[in-house]
Amino acid sequence: MARQLEPDAEQRIEWSAQIAKYASDIIEALPDSRVYSPDTDAGAAFREMPIQEGSRPFEAVLAAIDAGVMHNGINPASGGHLGYVPGGGVFAAALGDYLAAASNRYAGIFYANPGAVRVENALLRWMCQVVGYPAHALGNLTSGGSIANLIAITTAREAHGLKAADYDKAAVYLSAQTHHCVQKSLRMAGMGEAPLRYVPMDEHYRMKPDVLREMVIADRRAGLKPFMLVGSAGTTDTGAIDPLDALADLAQEERLWFHVDGAYGGFFILADSVGHLLKGIERSDSLAIDPHKGLFIPYGLGAVLIRDVEAQFRAHHYTAHYLQDAMEADEELSPADLSPELTRHFRGLRLWLPLQVFGVAPFRAALEEKVLLCRYAWEHLQAMGFETGPFPDLSICIFRYVPPSGDPDAFNEALLHYVQQDGRAYLSSTRISGAFWIRFAVLSFRTHKREVDQALDILREGVAALL
Ligand SMILES: *Cc1c(COP(=O)(O)O)cnc(C)c1O
């Protein structure tokens, strides 16, 4: 019975072929599939499919996944996904995952698989080079941006030698547009009492560095111990980039740990048209940057880059008797010494394989295309009579329709509902200073002019229907 867990070669190839065919059909059907199908009953049949002692036919299991999972909710693989921060799902990355899982190679500790650790560290060094970090910097490949931010904050806390008694004075500077995972990470890092100092923003939703300087000086005078400055390289709401170079100057003068959240926008440094807007990112102490956003990799891959890797090591390294075989001095730092994780998926392969097979150029071109598509949408929305937010720094813009009479918030909420019910495009919304805004976020490698035009058409129809 136990041997059933190891199907023979013929069976393996047959199952793999079924999955490969099924996945390929899904991708093939994407241009004509709905991106949003609200169906809260979907998957209810799983209740009649309990985990049981006995087996079920592979085909039946695949059919249940198809029926219960693949046709409801939001489809992040679709090029029509223009909400939140869209994902991607480069197919070659799935093959890297498949290989990593089927071989179950372990990239946590150098000794256990020097080659696998070298793959992950090579990716981190490539990212460090892309953003302009020094050669000795490193970081960690994480499950996403939230954990990347957590590792950075934990490292900053240790690098500044903060102890629990210091936390209620350790002021953290951020903006109202900073991603909520920064506050969440501070709390998880034990620093929930740290005073959060919200720096005012200009009309582009970028932090005002002069006001920040005054705040830091006043806080010191008032007895606080300014600790960390968090800049955003592309905010989630509007894609705004804080003035990173000016923030770096101030962090240097005031000896603040300068963390940049580039989970969404960091990889736009690869795009010539906007890369220069990220100037100053190379002067940060730590940076969160998500391949599962800006490099179109399937969900499950973020990265944190840290200039002072020794501080990162001190903040995360631990040892145990059962790890004694692995403790010889190694040429490469081990991911397990630089993050909260020990046993983990060999997640580097899902990025290394596509980067090797395609090279960087198509990623660069796709990012450039996203920037152009967002500008195109912004201009057309204005021409269509929408009120728009600022000209997009990257590939996200906000807009709303101001109807001749009635409550604009209610109107835009209804308009968003209209788009979502249509199902061919997916947009999401936010509130800024209390006002309801619809967002246009272009980041899927599958979004091209056709998808943007389609979304604009639906919005045009929606406004007409609601007026
Ligand atoms: C998405 C995002 C995060 C969180 O990253 P996850 O990968 O979702 O954990 C953090 N910051 C910004 C700016 C983001 O856009």
Side-chain angles (χ1 to χ4, degrees):
M1 197 57 98
R3 288 182 186 258
Q4 282 181 10
L5 296 178
E6 185 75 290
D8 63 19
E10 199 184 330
Q11 178 89 88
R12 284 197 297 273
I13 287 171
E14 198 212 304
W15 280 356
S16 304
Q18 280 191 49
I19 291 275
K21 169 83 170 64
Y22 176 70
S24 179
D25 288 350
I26 286 183
I27 294 172
E28 204 60 22
L30 279 174
D32 304 312
S33 305
R34 291 172 65 92
V35 50
Y36 181 54
S37 316
D39 172 10
T40 45
D41 289 336
F46 290 136
R47 267 188 244 126
E48 271 72 63
M49 202 180 162
I51 305 298
Q52 60 182 14
E53 235 356 79
S55 65
R56 294 188 203 272
F58 193 79
E59 294 73 12
V61 175
L62 200 50
I65 297 173
D66 182 69
V69 178
M70 295 299 180
H71 308 282
N72 62 88
I74 301 170
N75 186 351
S78 166
H81 188 355
L82 301 160
Y84 307 107
V85 177
V90 165
F91 181 67
L95 299 179
D97 265 349
Y98 174 83
L99 201 53
S103 65
N104 204 25
R105 286 294 170 159
Y106 173 58
I109 297 181
F110 182 75
Y111 153 87
N113 193 323
V117 169
R118 283 202 167 99
V119 164
E120 298 213 342
N121 286 354
L123 286 168
L124 290 164
R125 290 199 184 98
W126 170 71
M127 291 183 219
C128 285
Q129 184 208 323
V130 163
V131 304
Y133 266 23
H136 56 77
L138 202 64
N140 188 248
L141 294 183
T142 63
S143 57
S146 299
I147 302 298
N149 279 291
L150 174 64
I151 292 175
I153 285 167
T154 308
T155 300
R157 184 194 70 199
E158 294 298 299
H160 276 232
L162 297 179
K163 299 279 176 279
D166 306 318
Y167 294 169
D168 64 354
K169 297 220 156 30
V172 175
Y173 299 84
L174 68 178
S175 85
Q177 287 292 312
T178 304
H179 194 277
H180 74 276
C181 78
V182 168
Q183 285 101 310
K184 188 169 157 183
S185 294
L186 280 164
R187 195 174 63 198
M188 285 192 292
M191 298 190 65
E193 294 153 60
L196 298 181
R197 310 288 281 128
Y198 290 92
V199 182
M201 295 171 289
D202 64 17
E203 67 282 4
H204 279 81
Y205 305 106
R206 303 174 187 141
M207 257 188 214
K208 290 181 174 172
D210 296 343
V211 183
L212 167 62
R213 181 182 311 266
E214 286 160 22
M215 286 170 74
V216 173
I217 293 169
D219 284 349
R220 265 199 217 291
R221 220 172 272 142
L224 293 182
K225 301 223 164 68
F227 154 55
M228 184 167 69
L229 168 59
V230 182
S232 296
T235 59
T236 309
D237 270 354
T238 71
I241 302 171
D242 282 324
L244 302 178
D245 220 20
L247 297 189
D249 286 341
L250 188 93
Q252 203 172 340
E253 283 164 33
E254 294 291 334
R255 296 177 311 283
L256 306 176
W257 181 279
F258 181 31
H259 174 64
V260 173
D261 183 0
Y264 152 65
F267 281 112
F268 279 96
I269 201 162
L270 290 168
D272 286 339
S273 64
V274 289
H276 62 277
L277 298 174
L278 294 158
K279 179 147 181 19
I281 203 171
E282 74 287 353
R283 297 171 63 198
S284 60
D285 294 298
S286 54
L287 169 68
I289 184 165
D290 271 7
H292 70 194
K293 288 182 177 169
L295 291 179
F296 323 113
I297 297 300
Y299 289 154
L301 193 66
V304 61
L305 306 182
I306 296 191
R307 175 183 301 275
D308 179 0
V309 69
E310 280 165 30
Q312 188 187 359
F313 183 88
R314 282 198 308 277
H316 294 92
H317 169 76
Y318 233 90
T319 190
H321 297 306
Y322 43 80
L323 294 179
Q324 63 185 5
D325 303 337
M327 293 203 314
E328 301 123 46
D330 292 326
E331 275 173 59
E332 286 280 349
L333 285 167
S334 295
D337 287 328
L338 301 169
S339 88
E341 295 181 276
L342 180 58
T343 308
R344 64 204 265 286
H345 184 67
F346 175 21
R347 55 174 72 106
L349 215 45
R350 65 197 339 258
L351 177 59
W352 193 82
L353 192 142
L355 281 173
Q356 291 289 350
V357 169
F358 297 128
V360 180
F363 291 92
R364 226 184 260 283
L367 286 162
E368 207 71 81
E369 183 194 21
K370 302 313 122 187
V371 171
L372 292 175
L373 287 173
C374 186
R375 291 178 182 176
Y376 171 85
W378 185 83
E379 278 157 18
H380 279 255
L381 286 163
Q382 281 199 330
M384 284 158 61
F386 283 90
E387 179 189 345
T388 61
F391 183 79
D393 277 350
L394 296 173
S395 69
I396 300 176
C397 64
I398 53 169
F399 62 96
R400 53 196 257 122
Y401 196 84
V402 183
S405 63
D407 173 19
D409 283 1
F411 185 93
N412 287 282
E413 227 165 306
L415 178 59
L416 181 68
H417 186 73
Y418 180 95
V419 175
Q420 293 183 345
Q421 292 303 309
D422 177 278
R424 288 172 296 159
Y426 186 82
L427 299 174
S428 65
S429 68
T430 190
R431 260 181 208 278
I432 300 182
S433 310
F436 187 96
W437 290 89
I438 306 177
R439 294 168 65 259
F440 207 103
V442 192
L443 200 64
S444 167
F445 71 107
R446 294 195 176 105
T447 303
H448 306 294
K449 186 165 172 294
R450 170 188 179 269
E451 283 72 24
V452 172
D453 281 334
Q454 188 168 61
L456 293 172
D457 284 345
I458 300 167
L459 282 165
R460 206 176 278 118
E461 292 160 22
V463 170
L466 292 170
L467 288 175

